[in-house]
Amino acid sequence: MGSEPGPTQASLETLQEALKTERVTYVETLNEDIGTVVESADRLAFDYVEGDVSDCSVSSNDHVHLDLVHGGSTIHCVLFGYKRSSIDTTIEDGMQVAVNGSLSYYEEGGNVSVIVEDIVEVGEGTYQQIYEQNRQLLAADGLLDPEHKQAPPDFPERIGIATSATSDARMDAVTSIHERYPDIDIVVQNTNVQGDDAMMSIMGALSELDADPLVDVIVLTRGGGSDKHLRVFNETPLCRVIHRTETPVVVGVGHENDRTLADEVADRRVMTPTEVGQIVPEKATLEAELETLERRLGTAYTDTGETTLATMDDRLTQTYRRAVESDLSAFEAALDRAYDTHVRDELTDVENRLEQARTQYDQQRKRRQAATAHRRQRRRLLIVLAALGLLVVALLLYILLPL
């Protein structure tokens, strides 16, 4: 076993005395020894290691990091940036590859990695084949058809979140929702999101939330993780439960580039837990829009009122004018008729009075003529009588007077 020099040696000896054994060492020494064993052991030498690529990414210093997965085992691999140009293979998650390199033990972290010298694509990864088979099966059953998706409500009042109650994903999802709309009620249904019992736990959580009549939309979410930790979200039983859920389901799993079959079956996908808030409107925006609509409504009401009043005034004026003109025409016609009637009556009366006057005049004239004729006749008679009297007198005189 390795030992520490100087003052550390005395401490180690003290421990050996106290523990009554010489087989005592420190973590640093143990890791150094493990590193020496791992990196020099002939039985760990290999030409290639075969497995499926998972969680492939490029670091800020241009190194490629990936997990090589086979069965239930995983080993980390590192391809340094200066070696990338010499590798012909484009590395992607799900590929089945053979990796040539050497084992390296990172003493500070206690991790074993493969320092990659070459990568050769040897086929489609085993899990990638399973993924494609699951996807084809779901597609054949219509679970990926857009027409089967239901739109989440625009203004949900209660949101159910299925995730680990102690996870950062829960905090991110709740925070992102309340930052946009603080008044929305949120109920969190705790569930395991990885591990052997994750699928049954998630399906139970979804069923619990779907049975709550007050939940308007369900969010299934978890934070980022390795590809193998997200595989539960590609399981067909879980996808079928999501499809059968009557409440709209939104799925936000992993990081931005992570895609699962649960994403495709869900009614809506958000890329990360921090983007779950996108399913609700921004209250500040709604209030601003409401204020704008109120102003527009007030302006429209005023404009409409003024326009309506002006229109009604015009119509009333026109109606009044038409009514006055009609009444005046009627009055004029009635006046004309009354005038004509009155004139006719007056003329008739005048004519009657004239006729009566003429009749009376004729009668008076006749009476005057008769009186005049009578007077004339009397005068003639008197003259005749006078003449007769004179004649009689003359005769008498003639008779009585002697010759």
Side-chain angles (χ1 to χ4, degrees):
M1 291 294 178
S3 61
E4 301 293 337
T8 306
Q9 182 71 34
S11 298
L12 186 60
E13 289 175 352
T14 301
L15 287 173
Q16 289 172 341
E17 270 184 37
L19 298 173
K20 298 180 180 181
T21 177
E22 295 183 355
R23 301 176 65 83
V24 179
T25 190
Y26 292 100
V27 173
E28 182 180 2
T29 304
L30 177 62
N31 277 352
E32 288 177 356
D33 292 344
I34 292 175
T36 299
V37 171
V38 169
E39 294 174 6
S40 62
D42 292 337
R43 67 189 303 271
L44 296 180
F46 56 87
D47 289 331
Y48 286 94
V49 176
E50 183 271 338
D52 296 346
V53 176
S54 175
D55 298 313
C56 180
S57 63
V58 180
S59 66
S60 59
N61 53 12
D62 206 36
H63 301 331
V64 177
H65 292 263
L66 61 94
D67 288 338
L68 202 61
V69 181
H70 185 270
S73 299
T74 301
I75 191 167
H76 188 66
C77 301
V78 180
L79 173 63
F80 291 122
Y82 72 89
K83 294 288 294 182
R84 291 182 63 187
S85 60
S86 64
I87 303 297
D88 295 331
T89 302
T90 300
I91 307 171
E92 295 178 351
D93 284 347
M95 294 174 54
Q96 186 179 22
V97 298
V99 174
N100 172 260
S102 59
L103 287 177
S104 174
Y105 186 77
Y106 181 55
E107 295 176 4
E108 291 185 10
N111 300 319
V112 176
S113 297
V114 176
I115 305 303
V116 178
E117 295 294 329
D118 189 20
I119 295 181
V120 179
E121 183 178 5
V122 296
E124 188 176 50
T126 302
Y127 185 75
Q128 186 64 26
Q129 295 176 19
I130 295 173
Y131 175 89
E132 291 299 331
Q133 290 172 358
N134 288 348
R135 192 179 191 284
Q136 291 174 9
L137 182 60
L138 295 174
D141 291 343
L143 273 66
L144 306 183
D145 295 343
E147 57 266 24
H148 290 161
K149 299 181 183 299
Q150 53 180 331
D154 293 329
F155 304 101
E157 296 183 4
R158 170 176 283 195
I159 298 175
I161 300 179
T163 191
S164 172
T166 59
S167 66
D168 291 339
R170 181 193 69 83
M171 289 296 299
D172 290 343
V174 171
T175 300
S176 66
I177 291 171
H178 280 165
E179 281 180 348
R180 291 173 64 89
Y181 209 104
D183 302 331
I184 289 181
D185 185 25
I186 297 175
V187 55
V188 176
Q189 187 68 39
N190 181 47
T191 177
N192 295 330
V193 293
Q194 67 184 51
D196 294 339
D197 63 341
M199 184 176 70
M200 296 301 297
S201 180
I202 294 172
M203 290 192 297
L206 293 176
S207 298
E208 286 288 333
L209 292 173
D210 192 36
D212 186 344
L214 299 179
V215 172
D216 299 316
V217 60
I218 298 172
V219 176
L220 172 60
T221 187
R222 67 151 289 165
S226 65
D227 177 68
K228 61 180 179 292
H229 289 154
L230 301 181
R231 289 178 179 179
V232 64
F233 296 95
N234 294 322
E235 296 292 338
T236 56
L238 174 59
C239 291
R240 294 187 187 280
V241 169
I242 293 173
H243 177 71
R244 289 195 300 267
T245 300
E246 295 182 2
T247 309
V249 177
V250 177
V251 172
V253 172
H255 298 301
E256 183 173 342
N257 295 326
D258 293 325
R259 293 303 300 267
T260 66
L261 292 178
D263 293 334
E264 299 189 52
V265 174
D267 298 302
R268 180 176 173 180
R269 177 202 181 225
V270 293
M271 290 185 289
T272 63
T274 56
E275 295 187 5
V276 169
Q278 294 178 356
I279 68 173
V280 300
E282 285 187 297
K283 185 176 182 179
T285 301
L286 287 178
E287 290 175 342
E289 291 178 354
L290 182 59
E291 290 179 2
T292 300
L293 288 174
E294 286 178 348
R295 288 194 299 270
R296 290 174 61 187
L297 180 61
T299 301
Y301 178 80
T302 302
D303 293 344
T304 302
E306 292 176 351
T307 301
T308 302
L309 286 175
T311 302
M312 293 300 293
D313 183 65
D314 290 341
R315 292 174 60 184
L316 182 60
T317 300
Q318 294 173 2
T319 303
Y320 176 76
R321 287 176 179 173
R322 287 195 297 267
V324 169
E325 290 173 357
S326 176
D327 289 345
L328 287 176
S329 297
F331 291 154
E332 185 178 11
L335 184 59
D336 288 340
R337 289 193 299 271
Y339 176 77
D340 291 341
T341 302
H342 178 70
V343 169
R344 284 196 303 270
D345 292 343
E346 289 294 325
L347 287 175
T348 301
D349 183 61
V350 169
E351 287 177 355
N352 292 334
R353 289 169 63 188
L354 285 175
E355 184 65 29
Q356 292 174 1
R358 188 168 44 251
T359 301
Q360 291 175 357
Y361 174 77
D362 290 341
Q363 291 175 353
Q364 290 176 359
R365 189 183 60 179
K366 288 179 179 180
R367 284 195 296 271
R368 283 196 300 269
Q369 288 176 351
T372 301
H374 179 69
R375 284 194 300 272
R376 287 175 182 173
Q377 187 175 4
R378 287 181 61 188
R379 281 197 301 269
R380 290 192 194 104
L381 181 60
L382 289 175
I383 292 172
V384 172
L385 289 174
L388 287 175
L390 288 175
L391 181 60
V392 169
V393 169
L395 287 176
L396 288 175
L397 287 176
Y398 177 76
I399 297 174
L400 297 177
L401 291 178
L403 294 176

